[in-house]
Amino acid sequence: EPEVTQTPSHQVTQMGQEVILRCVPISNHLYFYWYRQILGQKVEFLVSFYNNEISEKSEIFDDQFSVERPDGSNFTLKIRSTKLEDSAMYFCASSYDRTNTEAFFGQGTRLTVV
Amino acid sequence: AQSVSQHNHHVILSEAASLELGCNYSYGGTVNLFWYVQYPGQHLQLLLKYFSGDPLVKGIKGFEAEFIKSKFSFNLRKPSVQWSDTAEYFCAVNAQGQGGKLIFGQGTELSVKP
């Protein structure tokens, strides 16, 4: 069964450092998403991406964040200068369509900023 | 703005007990509704979804959910839980025609005692 894969599973970084979280979406999917879940809180939408550009982003997704699909298979989330409050589980998801279809999620990357 | 509320933070049941997890959403337009499950250490998996038609939807592993439009609810049910149903359950909403963004509830942790 096709699946979304994320690497690494756990990343520890120092405050102020840049991190890149990687995702390989399902191969024939066209829409890609990042979500995050701070411990004990809701899963929150960060950004959606289609046709090599951001289609929607939340208030959380400020200038410190960026996304990229550098090579047609990977989908990355970069945090330029991490803050303590960026510590969370980050989920990547992909879907074939953006309406009336299921989003498939990766297993998540736990980011710990120290 | 859309929001999703799950009534129970943590539910503890014995095997064979019946389960009902509440989910209410706030949105004035037409929505797609989802229940996702996250087993310990695993990724979010779709249990079931409602787009249109019969408001009683059946999902995997014996789960079902009923969409009651007048109550803005989409409660998840299972007649007889098993120890293997121990997981976190997330209700999510997607506003039709507004992209693939999912709005999640805060999750309900289900613990089933053998």
Side-chain angles (χ1 to χ4, degrees), chain B residues 10-107:
Chain B
H10 192 185
V11 172
I12 302 172
L13 295 172
S14 297
E15 273 194 317
S18 64
L19 170 73
E20 181 160 2
L21 301 182
C23 172
N24 285 90
Y25 68 93
S26 172
Y27 181 65
T30 306
V31 294
N32 300 319
L33 298 152
F34 304 83
W35 275 97
Y36 281 86
V37 61
Q38 188 176 29
Y39 298 103
Q42 296 188 27
H43 58 90
L44 288 161
Q45 300 173 43
L46 183 70
L47 267 183
L48 47 78
K49 61 191 177 189
Y50 172 82
F51 293 148
S52 64
D54 188 344
L56 183 64
V57 291
K58 295 192 184 298
I60 60 170
K61 306 189 183 190
F63 286 91
E64 65 177 32
E66 185 176 11
F67 171 48
I68 303 179
K69 190 174 181 180
S70 61
K71 294 185 178 180
F72 298 89
S73 70
F74 190 55
N75 292 353
L76 181 71
R77 299 194 291 249
K78 186 171 183 178
S80 175
V81 294
Q82 301 171 313
W83 176 79
S84 57
D85 293 325
T86 295
E88 186 142 21
Y89 292 79
F90 295 92
C91 181
V93 163
N94 160 245
Q96 283 191 14
Q98 293 194 18
K101 176 177 75 176
L102 290 170
I103 304 297
F104 282 85
Q106 62 269 48

Side-chain angles (χ1 to χ4, degrees), chain A residues 6-109:
Chain A
Q6 290 184 242
T7 54
S9 57
H10 191 186
Q11 172 104 39
V12 181
T13 189
Q14 292 217 325
M15 192 168 56
Q17 295 295 305
E18 174 184 287
V19 292
I20 298 176
L21 309 183
R22 290 183 167 80
C23 169
V24 179
I26 293 171
S27 61
N28 66 339
H29 284 186
L30 304 175
Y31 292 84
F32 314 107
Y33 311 87
W34 283 101
Y35 292 81
R36 79 170 185 191
Q37 185 181 27
I38 294 171
L39 190 64
Q41 297 185 28
K42 292 185 180 191
V43 177
E44 302 171 288
F45 168 79
L46 292 178
V47 65
S48 59
F49 191 85
Y50 169 70
N51 201 24
N52 282 321
E53 60 183 25
I54 291 173
S55 49
E56 186 174 2
K57 59 183 181 179
S58 71
E59 292 173 356
I60 304 166
F61 195 88
D62 62 21
D63 292 344
Q64 292 297 314
F65 292 89
S66 62
V67 288
E68 201 177 33
R69 195 148 190 256
D71 55 14
S73 60
N74 290 285
F75 178 50
T76 61
L77 174 69
K78 183 193 289 186
I79 309 174
R80 247 180 288 281
S81 177
T82 50
K83 303 187 281 283
L84 294 176
E85 54 264 38
D86 294 326
S87 295
M89 181 74 89
Y90 288 82
F91 294 103
C92 173
S94 69
S95 64
Y96 180 74
D97 197 348
R98 64 176 193 163
T99 57
N100 294 355
T101 189
E102 173 187 352
F104 290 79
F105 283 78
Q107 75 277 30
T109 293

